[in-house]
Amino acid sequence: MLIRQRRNLAEQRMTIFVLVSMFLFTLFSLPLSANTDIETTAVTEPILRLQVTPERCIALHRGQTCYLDVEFKWTLDVVDDYCLINTTTNELLRCWKQQKQGQHIHEFQSSQSNRFSLITRAESIEVGATKIEVAWVYNSTKRAKSGWRLF
């Protein structure tokens, strides 16, 4: 008898769960506004693919300048004038006129990580960004003390 009551209770709970789920699905599937006379235009952000290879520059010791040739590749779905800048140093690397894709090889030299941005030339609006990390093998430039002594 007790097992049958528990089974009926579990079945009732499952039925309530299914009904509530169906109600919520139906509720959220309905359009928010019944007025279809209003014309709306969607503002879409440009789809960007900005890639830098390699993403990391490794120096031997902390604080040393890291040297690396990096390649930037970008693709957008909107044709416009774009510029690639180093936002850490405020250096303009290259600009493209009326393009939706581009490529640039840059001689990277820095002792710290740098952030790069692709911006629109006219409005200087950032459409994408990437970063080159600077890492090091050893934290200190001090030499390890040797256990050997001459005198």
Side-chain angles (χ1 to χ4, degrees), residues 14 19 21 30 41-42 44 50 63 85 88 100 108-109 123-124 127-128 146 148:
M14 183 58 89
L19 289 174
S21 298
L30 295 175
T41 57
T44 58
L50 176 61
I85 61 168
T88 305
K100 64 178 188 176
F108 178 77
Q109 299 177 17
E123 297 90 19
S124 296
V127 291
S146 175
W148 296 89

Side-chain angles (χ1 to χ4, degrees), residues 26 35 44 63 70 83 90 117 122 132 137 140 144 150:
T26 305
N35 187 359
T44 58
V70 293
C83 292
N90 290 326
S117 298
I132 297 176
V137 178
S140 176
L150 296 175

Side-chain angles (χ1 to χ4, degrees), residues 11-90:
E11 287 176 4
Q12 288 174 353
R13 286 182 180 167
M14 183 58 89
T15 304
I16 292 171
F17 174 75
V18 169
L19 289 174
V20 168
S21 298
M22 290 174 54
F23 172 74
L24 289 175
F25 177 76
T26 305
L27 180 67
F28 289 116
S29 298
L30 295 175
L32 293 177
S33 173
N35 187 359
T36 57
D37 295 338
I38 300 173
E39 187 176 314
T40 60
T41 57
V43 177
T44 58
E45 292 291 323
I47 299 171
L48 169 72
R49 182 170 175 227
L50 176 61
Q51 180 180 5
V52 60
T53 51
E55 295 177 339
R56 179 169 289 173
C57 187
I58 301 174
L60 189 59
H61 296 285
R62 184 179 197 164
Q64 282 186 334
T65 301
C66 186
Y67 301 93
L68 183 67
D69 288 337
V70 293
E71 180 180 25
F72 293 93
K73 287 184 181 179
W74 61 271
T75 330
L76 276 159
D77 59 343
V78 178
V79 174
D80 202 352
D81 296 345
Y82 297 102
C83 292
L84 180 66
I85 61 168
N86 182 334
T87 53
T88 305
T89 62
N90 290 326

Side-chain angles (χ1 to χ4, degrees), residues 2-3 5 15 20 25 50 54 71 83 90-91 98 105 107 113 121 126 130 132 140 143 150:
L2 185 60
I3 296 173
Q5 287 176 345
T15 304
V20 168
F25 177 76
L50 176 61
E71 180 180 25
C83 292
N90 290 326
E91 176 187 4
Q98 294 301 305
I105 296 176
E107 293 179 8
S113 299
R121 188 172 186 169
E126 181 180 279
T130 188
I132 297 176
S140 176
R143 292 183 175 251
L150 296 175

